[in-house]
Amino acid sequence: MRTVRIGNGSGFWGDSIDAPVDLLRGGEIDYIGMDYLAEVTMSIMMRQKLKHKDRGYARDFIDFIRRVLPELQERGVRVISNAGGLNPKACREKIFKEARDLGLKGVRVGVVEGDDILPRLPDLIAAGHHLENMETGEPLDPILDKVSSANAYLGARPVVEALDQGALIVLCGRVTDTALTLAPMIHEFGWALDDWDHLAAGTVAGHILECGPQCAGGNFSRWWEVPDLWNVGYPIVEAQEDGSFTVTKHEGTGGMVSVDTVAEQLVYEMGNPREYITPDVIANFTTVRLADAGPDRVSVSGIRGGARTRYLKVSASYLDGYKAAGQITISGPKALEKAQLSADMVWKRLEKAGVHFEPECRTVEYLGVSSCLPGILEPPEDPPEVVLRLGVRDPKRSKVKRFGYEIAPLVTTGPPGVTGFAGGRPKPQEVVAFWPALLERDEVESHIEVTVEEV
Amino acid sequence: MKVPLSRIAHARSGDKGDGSNVGVIANTPEIYEFLRQELTAERVKEHFREVCRGRVERFGVPNLLALNFILHDSLGGGGTESLKTDAQGKTHAQGLLAMEIEVPDHMLEG
C-alpha cells in the first residue's frame, strides 16, 4: 500500500525555527504542516494589518521559506500553513518575492480565503445570525464596535482544492490545525466528503501532530525516560489509504515516540472524547487503537467518525480592558512573610492614591511557593527565596498604568532582601477577549475562495 | 500502599475555555478499572479545591486506558483575560499525578 509522509514543523507561533528545516532535511517527507495561529494571534495580526496593509501574516514563515524554497521545489515537498493569518495574499506576494530573489521559476502557491468574516458581521447580524456566545448565550451585536477580528474555522476541503491545483505551498488564514494533516490525505487518497471514518482518521492524525514534539517526548510525564530532548524530532505520520497510520520521527533525532507519548497527546485539550468536532467530521476518540510498531513507531487504527455538523465555529476577538503584571524577588529568612508584607504595601499605597481594584481584578502569586498548584504541592516552611508576582486588570488604562509605578519602590521602602527588579515598570497591555460562536456552514462556505498562482 | 498517582499512571493537561482538562492514562488495564472506581470527579474536585472554582466532569476513554477530567473555571478567567502565571492549566496534570492514593500492593509490581 502507498504511504504518504506528513510531518509537523511548527506547533505554534514562537516554536523552534530550526525544527521545520531539520524535518525537511532529516529524511523522507512529502508534506510539512506549519501551525502559527493561536486565538490571540489573530488580533495581533489585525493590528499589524491596520498599520501596514501588506502585513498581518506570520513573518517567521517567510524566514523558513527563504531557507528552504529551492529544496522544497527540487524534492517536491509541499508545505501547508495557516501562516497567511489575516493577509494570505500579502504573504504569497512576499514568497513570490523571495522566489524571484532566489532565481526560482514555477513556484506555485495557493491561497485560501473566506475565513475572515469581520467585514461581513453587520450584514450577517442583520440577516438574523446573532452569533450568540457559546458559553453565555449573549448575542454579539451589543459589543460589535469593540470586535477587532472575527474568523470562521475552515476545514480541509479548500486546502485540498489548492493541492489539486498543484500548489507547492498552501497559505491559509484560520483553518483548523487538524486540516493541515487531513488535507494531504484527502488529496492523495481521494477520500469522499462523507467518508466519515477516513476523515476521522486523518483528523486524529492531525490532532496527534498539531503540537509538534508533544507526541514525540516533549511534555511527557516520565520525562526522565526521554533521550536527547534537546534534539527532539518533530513528528511524522506515515498515512495509508485505508485510514491507518504510523506515528514516527526521523532517525537520529532525540525524543521518543511510544504508545504512551502518543496517548498523552491524544488526551491533550480533550473535551468529550466521543465528539471531537471539526468542520470536516466528528471524530470518536474512543475508537482509536494504538500499538507498538517498533522503536519510535506507533501504529494507529480503528478510528470511526460521524457526520459533520451544519455549523462552523467562529472566533471573534474584542478589546476588553487592560492588564499588567510585575514581579520582584525576595530572599529569606522569612521570604514569604516579607513577600506578603510587600504585596499588602502595594495595595494600601494604591488605595491611598485613590486607585481601587476589585479582588477578582487583582492577583498575588508567590512563585516558588504556591502559584501553580496551591493546596496540592506542599511548600517548604521557610523557603530560601520567593518571587512575588502582582497583577491587575481594569477597563481603564490609566489605573493599570498607575499600578505599574508601585513595584520598584519596594526595593527601598519594603523589608530587606528585595531585589531583582529588572525590565522597568510593568506596562498596561490590552486584554483581548474571545467570543466563540456558531454560524451556519453555508454562510461561510459560499464565500470561500481558493486561488493558485505561479511565479 | 499509599503512593502518588504518578506511580500507576501518566497524564497531560491543557486549556479548555475558562477551564482545563487533565487526561490521566493508567499504566495497565487493571489499574484503569481500579482508577475508574477510585478516581472520581468528586475526588479530583477536592484535590484541586484551591484551583478549580467550578464543577469537575469525567469522561472514560477505555481504549486508551484514560480518564479525562474537565476542571471548569480553573484558570482565573481563561486565555488572555487571566492574571495567573499558569493561565492554560499546563501544570494541572503534574498536580493530579501528585495525588496520594491507596493502591493494592500487587498493582505496584513490574
Side-chain angles (χ1 to χ4, degrees):
Chain A
M1 217 174 343
R2 197 160 57 96
T3 297
V4 177
R5 291 180 176 78
I6 304 164
N8 177 292
S10 172
F12 60 99
W13 196 355
D15 204 346
S16 163
I17 57 167
D18 290 331
V21 180
D22 293 344
L23 185 64
L24 174 68
R25 295 182 181 157
E28 280 188 79
I29 190 118
D30 301 305
Y31 293 86
I32 296 177
M34 304 275 286
D35 175 27
Y36 288 93
L37 301 185
E39 280 184 321
V40 69
T41 322
M42 295 311 257
S43 81
I44 296 170
M45 287 177 166
M46 181 56 81
R47 253 175 289 163
Q48 292 173 346
K49 191 181 171 183
L50 288 174
K51 277 187 207 155
H52 305 277
K53 66 176 184 357
D54 58 347
R55 297 246 177 102
Y57 57 86
R59 281 182 284 170
D60 281 12
F61 184 69
I62 304 295
D63 297 334
F64 166 64
I65 290 297
R66 186 183 302 123
R67 287 172 77 181
V68 301
L69 189 53
E71 230 167 311
L72 292 178
Q73 196 181 28
E74 198 183 309
R75 290 171 57 190
V77 178
R78 305 168 84 172
V79 174
I80 304 169
S81 180
N82 55 19
L86 286 164
N87 211 345
K89 279 188 170 155
C91 186
R92 173 161 63 190
E93 284 313 309
K94 190 77 181 140
I95 289 172
F96 282 164
K97 185 183 175 306
E98 298 295 336
R100 281 191 291 267
D101 289 352
L102 290 162
L104 300 175
K105 287 206 167 66
V107 176
R108 285 175 79 78
V109 180
V111 159
V112 173
E113 287 176 302
D115 59 301
D116 182 3
I117 60 165
L118 183 67
R120 299 175 54 205
L121 286 180
D123 289 347
L124 286 166
I125 290 170
H129 300 285
H130 299 299
L131 296 161
E132 287 99 345
N133 187 308
M134 286 167 74
E135 277 151 29
T136 65
E138 294 165 52
L140 181 67
D141 196 32
I143 64 146
L144 188 57
D145 58 340
K146 288 201 288 180
V147 173
S148 56
S149 73
N151 294 74
Y153 281 81
L154 307 185
R157 286 290 150 185
V159 181
V160 175
E161 218 178 301
L163 291 172
D164 289 348
Q165 292 182 46
L168 181 72
I169 299 166
V170 182
L171 295 169
C172 311
R174 183 47 96 191
V175 293
T176 57
D177 298 346
T178 54
L180 304 179
T181 301
L182 173 60
M185 296 189 194
I186 299 173
H187 167 72
E188 293 279 347
F189 303 132
W191 292 340
L193 257 175
D194 61 351
D195 188 349
W196 307 124
D197 291 345
H198 285 156
L199 298 181
T203 298
V204 170
H207 180 83
I208 292 170
L209 290 187
E210 75 182 14
C211 295
Q214 274 205 155
C215 68
N219 197 10
F220 182 52
S221 297
R222 296 193 301 271
W223 51 273
W224 55 87
E225 293 178 1
V226 184
D228 293 323
L229 257 184
W230 68 271
N231 190 32
V232 63
Y234 276 48
I236 298 164
V237 156
E238 297 176 353
Q240 303 199 307
E241 191 165 0
D242 66 358
S244 66
F245 58 90
T246 301
V247 186
T248 186
K249 63 188 185 67
H250 284 320
E251 263 182 59
T253 57
M256 73 185 196
V257 178
S258 69
V259 166
D260 287 350
T261 65
V262 173
E264 273 194 26
Q265 185 53 24
L266 279 170
V267 300
Y268 181 65
E269 293 182 345
M270 180 186 268
N272 181 344
R274 290 174 189 279
E275 293 184 351
Y276 185 91
I277 301 173
T278 77
D280 301 296
V281 67
I282 300 177
N284 183 346
F285 276 46
T286 68
T287 61
V288 180
R289 284 203 303 269
L290 302 179
D292 189 331
D296 290 318
R297 296 181 66 82
V298 172
S299 74
V300 187
S301 62
I303 298 160
R304 308 296 299 269
R308 64 188 200 177
T309 76
R310 281 174 51 212
Y311 301 95
L312 293 182
K313 188 177 171 186
V314 166
S315 180
S317 65
Y318 62 101
L319 180 62
D320 192 24
Y322 298 85
K323 68 175 179 181
Q327 60 189 50
I328 200 157
T329 304
I330 298 161
S331 82
K334 300 191 189 298
L336 185 56
E337 272 178 61
K338 290 191 281 187
Q340 285 163 339
L341 170 66
S342 302
D344 196 44
M345 285 173 66
V346 167
W347 304 130
K348 281 189 172 138
R349 292 175 64 88
L350 284 168
E351 288 287 344
K352 187 183 164 204
V355 180
H356 175 75
F357 295 97
E358 294 297 328
E360 68 271 20
C361 292
R362 64 187 207 194
T363 190
V364 180
E365 289 183 330
Y366 303 101
L367 275 62
V369 177
S370 59
S371 69
C372 293
L373 297 165
I376 293 177
L377 294 182
E378 189 92 14
E381 210 163 289
D382 186 12
E385 63 203 31
V386 167
V387 176
L388 170 66
R389 182 174 174 276
L390 299 170
V392 297
R393 182 176 63 208
D394 199 86
K396 281 206 183 103
R397 191 175 189 283
S398 56
K399 270 177 74 180
V400 174
K401 190 177 175 192
R402 182 65 186 80
F403 155 81
Y405 290 116
E406 288 301 334
I407 314 271
L410 289 171
V411 177
T412 50
T413 61
V418 175
T419 186
F421 184 74
R425 290 169 174 156
K427 292 188 177 56
Q429 296 176 308
E430 289 181 349
V431 175
V432 179
F434 294 97
W435 186 280
L438 296 176
L439 181 57
E440 303 265 346
R441 172 185 292 274
D442 294 343
E443 281 294 344
V444 177
E445 293 187 338
S446 55
H447 286 68
I448 293 179
E449 263 188 64
V450 178
T451 56
V452 177
E453 291 177 7
E454 186 173 315
V455 73
Chain B
M1 196 166 99
K2 208 163 199 182
V3 296
L5 185 58
S6 58
R7 276 288 297 279
I8 56 169
H10 55 117
R12 181 165 297 178
S13 58
D15 63 330
K16 217 63 213 148
D18 72 347
S20 63
N21 97 297
V22 186
V24 179
I25 303 161
N27 288 350
T28 68
E30 188 193 18
I31 291 168
Y32 174 71
E33 284 308 318
F34 170 74
L35 290 180
R36 241 167 41 93
Q37 301 299 318
E38 295 295 319
L39 197 58
T40 58
E42 293 71 31
R43 191 157 174 193
V44 171
K45 167 75 187 173
E46 169 60 20
H47 185 67
F48 282 99
R49 63 195 175 278
E50 290 184 37
V51 175
C52 175
R53 291 168 195 278
R55 68 202 166 92
V56 171
E57 259 184 296
R58 188 182 88 164
F59 296 96
V61 199
N63 52 313
L64 301 178
L65 306 181
L67 294 170
N68 184 38
F69 296 90
I70 313 285
L71 278 54
H72 291 279
D73 195 0
S74 58
L75 303 178
T80 54
E81 286 163 78
S82 175
L83 294 169
K84 282 183 183 245
T85 294
D86 186 16
Q88 292 174 305
K90 296 271 184 198
T91 65
H92 293 179
Q94 292 287 296
L96 188 51
L97 289 177
M99 178 193 275
E100 292 283 329
I101 188 163
E102 186 69 41
V103 177
D105 285 355
H106 75 274
M107 287 188 197
L108 296 171
E109 289 158 16

